[in-house]
Each structure stands twice: as C-alpha cells, then as structure tokens.
Amino acid sequence: MAKLWGGRFSGGPARALEELNASISFDMRLAPYDLAASKAHARVLHRAGLLDETELERMTAALTDLGRRVADGTFEVSLSDEDVHTALERGLVEQLGPLGGKLRAGRSRNDQIATDLRMYCRDHVRGLAADLIDLIDALVSQAAQHVETPVPGMTHLQHAQPVTFAHQLLAHVQAILRDLDRLRDWDARAAVSPLGSGAMAGSSLPLDPTAVAADLGFEAAAANSMDAVADRDFVAELLFVTATIGLHLSRLGEEVVLWSSSEFGWVELDDAYATGSSIMPQKKNPDIAELARGKSGRLVGNLTAMMVTLKALPLTYNKDLQEDKEPVFDSLDTLALLLPAVTGMIATMAVNVSAMAESAPRGFSLATEVADWLVRRGVPFRDAHEITGAVVTHCVSRGIELHEVDDSNLRSISPHLSPEVREVLTVTGALAGRTTPGSAGPKAVTVQLSGIGTQMADWRTWAATSVVPR
Ligand code: ARG
C-alpha cells in the first residue's frame, strides 16, 4: 500500500523495518481525532482558496463516511498502512481519487500526531475525572454515615489518637480532589493546537492556525512551530497526574487490605467485590484493593518511560516520540478499568462500627488528652508530657487502661492529676473536643463534608464538558 513518503525510494521497505516502524497497531484509536482535524484543515484550505466549494463538500462527506467505517469496523487496515494518518489518507484517496491527495497540503504527520494525541488526552481526561468523581461520591456517602464512628487514627501504623472514620475516608477524598485539580490545570496547558506547524517550520501556504485551533476546541494555536511538534510535556505531565492518582489509589487500597483483615475487622467487603481462594474455602480476598496497589507500579512505570524517552532528544520531531502513545493509552485504560472496581468496593463495604469503637481507645490513644487536660490547668506541656508518660508506664506494667488507674496512683504520679482527668478519657469526649477547622471531631467533619459537597457540582460540570468536535 502507498507510503506517504515513497517518492524518493526505489525499493520497498524491509519487513523488519515495517514491523518496527509501524504504529498502526496502537494508533488507530486516534482516528476520530485525526478525522476531526482533517475536516478542520479542509475548511482552512478552502478559505485559503486551495479547495473549491464542491471539493470541500466532497472532502467533508468522505471524511464523515470514513469515520463511520472506522467506527463500525468495515475500514480495514494493515501493517503496510504504517500509521493512522497513512491509513486514513489511503481511505480518502480510495474514495475521492486525486482530490483525496489535496488534504496533505500545509500539513505533516508531525503536527497531525501532536494534535491528535492532545485531543485524545483532553477528551479522555474528562472521562477519568468522571470516574474520580464517582469514587469521591462513594467515599463521601460512606463518610456521611460515619461522622460519629470512632477509629484509632494511626501514625507509624500504631494507634495515635482517635479520629472519626468519616475523617479518615475524607482524607482520601481530599487527595483525589487535588488530582481533579491537577487534571483541570493540565487541561488548560494542553489546550494549545500544534496544527499549522507542518513538519516543524510552519507553512508557506496561507493557512490559519488560530481558526483551526478554535475549530478543534483548543484555546490557542502554538506560538512556535518547532516546539509544537517536539513537545510532549503534555504527555509526561498527564502521566505524572495518572501516576499520582495511582499512588492515591494504592494507599486507599492498602488501607482496605488492612481494614478487611481479621486483625482489624473494620470492614467486610461485599461478595460482589471480593474473591475466594481455590483451596481455602473460608477465604474472602480483597483483590480489588490489592490491584489498586499493584497497578500503581505500571502507572509510575509509564511516567518513567515517557520522561526517559524525552531526555536529551534534539529538536524537533524524532521517531522516538512514537513511544509517547502506548504509555499514555495504557495509563488511561488502566484507570478506566480500576476506578469503577474501587468505587464499587468502597460503596458496598460493610463497616463494623463496634469493632472500630472498641479499638479506638486501645494503645493509650487518649494519652494526648491527659496531657492537654494538664496544659489547660497551667502545667507546661513539657511536664504534662512527662507526667502522662509516667501514667502510661504505670498502665503498661499493670496491664490496665488509662481510665483504670485509681485515684491514689494518679495522685502519686503527680499532684496535678485529680480524678476529674477521667472526664477526658473517653473517645467521644476526645472527639467532641476536636472542633477546630480540619480536625477529626464530628463537628469539624460535618463542615468538611459540606465543603466537599459544594465543590462537586462544579467538578461534574467540568467533567461533562466536551472539548472535541465529533
Ligand atoms: N506514527 C508517528 C508517531 O506516532 C507519526 C508521526 C510520523 N512522523 C514522521 N516524521 N515519521 O510519532
């Protein structure tokens, strides 16, 4: 089949070259974007007087038809098509004859691929945002039911201070909200159209890159044609965001693995979102949570691959850049697969409130309350810390909890420790006291919940915006 570059070659390509060089096996998913860009380019050629009215109409109709055939699978491609651009030009020429060959004027695969991939990414980022919003919804609706449920908050995976389960779930929500923010921020920077940059020096034909940019949902046309065809920051940056989403999911996944273990017993996964063992009939495994952990490795790997590919690459286009597509496709596909499963797992998990409540005060997690109580009575925190430490040591040696220390022992540890200290030695009391903004107590968490609630409408609107003409 006809190469786009056959003119100066006498023999055909070696099979090995063809196999290595082709991107058709993975870049056909760019076809809808390539076709939309072709239509916009045809309109610009028409305005420049390079296509007459009938030619433009025939061209547009043929591109639409080609789009339909790509979508329903009747447009077949093979290795010799090399890439999506070659394949679609062949399809156009098959339909239109020599007229099909007019579309390439003022355009190169270098600005085409840079444009197509930006469009693909901007389009798919909206779907990714929608999936993240669904996960936030699941976390928020679990949180709303556990504004008062105490759990031991941990540092070093050791009991630290009691928090509400809602607060812990919303900590994950805050991280995902930042990811949404990153996607939107990325999108604003990615909204620059390379089309019109040609191979790398722009065009001598009277094209209108700004009009094409607007036509394709971009905010602006590239300011520098060399940068436009060489730049893949938009891929690396998106891969950083997807890798970060992966890290966040891995941390949530790891927590679910812990929570659902019999050592914790905080949650039980729904049967529909857990798996069994082929040999141990009693097992219920958190495979989704483990895969959330596991998939983060490949998401980080894709980012690394792209950055290493770009390192030290001279301007402008180099074939190395063909390696940009598979990592970003894979990262977006991976998250599209993973997120609905994680969302379902979170939405359906059953929370064991009594196991959480029982565990919340263990491990002397109320010791800080004692120290703060002493501080409120004028004891310097440094001394309060020492005194409380002595109470804990006393408890450890007797195998008792903080509230079980009798009055005389309290007094002998420190004259400041009157029996009233026991009033702060309840989880409910400790949580009720944490009222400052961002704190773990029910009051502050309710404020946090409503703050998240008010942001979500705006995120849903953004995720539903369509930036790419169909
Ligand atoms: N398949 C190529 C890629 O993905 C398209 C651009 C080809 N440009 C070129 N000068 N050979 O990068």
Side-chain angles (χ1 to χ4, degrees), residues 4-5 21-24 26-27 30 82-86 108-114 117 199 232 317-325:
L4 298 183
W5 40 268
N21 206 35
S23 52
I24 190 80
F26 52 82
D27 69 11
L30 297 174
E82 190 174 326
D83 57 28
V84 59
H85 324 290
T86 311
S108 153
R109 286 183 292 170
N110 297 352
D111 60 350
Q112 268 184 282
I113 188 61
L117 193 57
R232 290 297 182 277
Y317 180 85
N318 299 272
K319 197 61 180 250
D320 315 44
L321 291 179
Q322 182 163 285
E323 293 295 312
D324 59 358
K325 281 167 280 301

Side-chain angles (χ1 to χ4, degrees), residues 41 69 121 124 459:
H41 186 63
R69 285 168 59 212
C121 291
H124 283 74
W459 282 118

Side-chain angles (χ1 to χ4, degrees), residues 10-182:
S10 42
R15 180 77 187 169
L17 171 128
E18 217 163 28
E19 280 177 350
L20 171 66
N21 206 35
S23 52
I24 190 80
S25 63
F26 52 82
D27 69 11
M28 269 309 279
R29 59 163 97 191
L30 297 174
Y33 308 97
D34 200 73
L35 289 165
S38 287
K39 285 182 186 172
H41 186 63
R43 284 191 285 275
V44 149
L45 290 178
H46 167 66
R47 262 176 272 144
L50 299 167
L51 284 181
D52 67 28
E53 194 69 40
T54 356
E55 286 177 324
L56 173 64
E57 272 166 33
R58 290 182 59 209
M59 189 83 85
T60 307
L63 288 166
T64 302
D65 190 57
L66 206 48
R68 188 189 47 72
R69 285 168 59 212
V70 169
D72 70 17
T74 51
F75 180 68
E76 280 174 30
V77 299
S78 71
L79 185 65
S80 62
D81 279 319
E82 190 174 326
D83 57 28
V84 59
H85 324 290
T86 311
L88 295 177
E89 184 174 307
R90 168 180 64 78
L92 202 61
V93 170
E94 280 167 5
Q95 251 174 289
L96 296 175
L99 171 60
K102 283 197 167 187
L103 191 61
R104 213 197 298 164
R107 195 170 73 160
S108 153
R109 286 183 292 170
N110 297 352
D111 60 350
Q112 268 184 282
I113 188 61
T115 305
D116 294 0
L117 193 57
R118 276 177 193 256
M119 290 171 75
Y120 179 96
C121 291
R122 295 190 68 213
D123 205 13
H124 283 74
V125 148
R126 268 107 183 134
L128 171 55
D131 287 344
L132 290 172
I133 291 167
D134 288 346
L135 175 56
I136 289 177
D137 285 347
L139 287 162
V140 162
S141 61
Q142 283 283 6
Q145 292 172 57
H146 297 288
V147 172
E148 313 235 321
T149 305
V151 285
M154 304 197 181
T155 62
H156 312 270
L157 202 59
Q158 311 281 331
H159 286 215
Q161 295 172 326
V163 295
T164 57
F165 189 44
H167 196 53
Q168 183 151 356
L169 291 170
L170 295 184
H172 291 286
V173 169
Q174 299 297 345
I176 301 167
L177 281 171
R178 288 194 296 278
D179 292 333
L180 280 173
D181 224 39
R182 286 185 185 98

Side-chain angles (χ1 to χ4, degrees), residues 337-358:
L337 195 64
L338 180 60
L339 279 163
V342 173
T343 298
M345 170 184 75
I346 295 292
T348 57
M349 71 188 184
V351 175
N352 187 341
V353 175
S354 57
M356 287 177 169
E358 244 168 67

